[in-house]
Amino acid sequence: MAQFSAETARTGEWKRQGNAFTDRISRDSTSGPGEGPDEQRRWPVEPGRYRLVVCLACPWAHRAVIVRRLLGLEDAISLAVVDPIRDESGWRFTLDPDDRDPVLGIRYLAEAYHGTDPGFEGRVTVPAIVDTRTGLVVTNDYPQITLDLSTEWTDHHKPDAPKLIPADRGEMDQLIEEIYQDVNNGVYRCGFATTQEAYETAYDALFARLDALENRLADRSYLLGDELSEVDVRLFTTLVRFDAVYHGHFKTNRQKLTEFPNLWAYARRLYQQPGFGDTVDFDHIKRHYYVTHDTINPTGIVPKGPDPSTWLT
């Protein structure tokens, strides 16, 4: 369930919780837990050591699933998938035998969070990378996770892995920030706003940015031109949920994705590439949003549509 801060109650504008665990896995590190400054320790790149915990409904986690697949890191970093429906204790491993992750041996991701920080009181989030040796959460810093998969795990990429991070990152980083503020997080700012003013401010920023992206894609295949990059992955995970969830559930209803000619063609082009559409689970997506956000959808009814076959046209 969504958590609303005191700031939300005062202004009506929803604020996203910060990331509690921001250690990094680095190819330059030979250390284990406890090495490096307390605020950001470095862990060694070591195939088979870490477990990426995701919910297939979550767009932030979906980024990591896509990048892991594109780079060919499936054998290097194992994957755990939680149930799309959270209960009062958070993300559950009920998709596994005995309702327990077979590698980590835990029933809830919260067990790893509290084992890492006994004083943790925030909301348990995905994606999270957990060290299978110690059971400690290495990171839940979703923006950094995918960047590090591209830059720190290069020795374990498949031979034809795409270069998702361009040599000159200036343009990409600016796009990433704009898309995060107005689109990736913007849909949540619409959906969880508690005043009309906060909702309309987020709504206007969202569609202004989508209009700009629609124009940008008029003469190019990807956001940076002819090559796939990290920013395309980050936009895709919001676009693929737009008509199924955000348009109705989050009231982002000026128009559907299918009514943006360039964005819709771009989203389908990505969907039909290995690593994108084959990592989308519309059942998990719809059940998570419509069932767990009971302040928005108290009946818990999950819509039947839209037809997912349109993504293959």
Side-chain angles (χ1 to χ4, degrees), residues 243-245 282-287 290 297 300-310:
D243 289 3
V245 174
F282 283 114
D283 172 62
H284 280 215
I285 289 168
K286 291 194 295 183
R287 285 197 292 125
Y290 286 101
N297 186 39
I301 293 173
V302 180
K304 291 184 68 175
D307 182 356
S309 69
T310 59

Side-chain angles (χ1 to χ4, degrees), residues 24-42:
R24 292 178 61 188
I25 300 170
S26 170
R27 60 183 174 178
D28 296 328
S29 173
T30 58
S31 65
E35 298 293 332
D38 291 341
E39 64 272 13
Q40 191 178 74
R41 297 173 297 184
R42 297 296 179 115

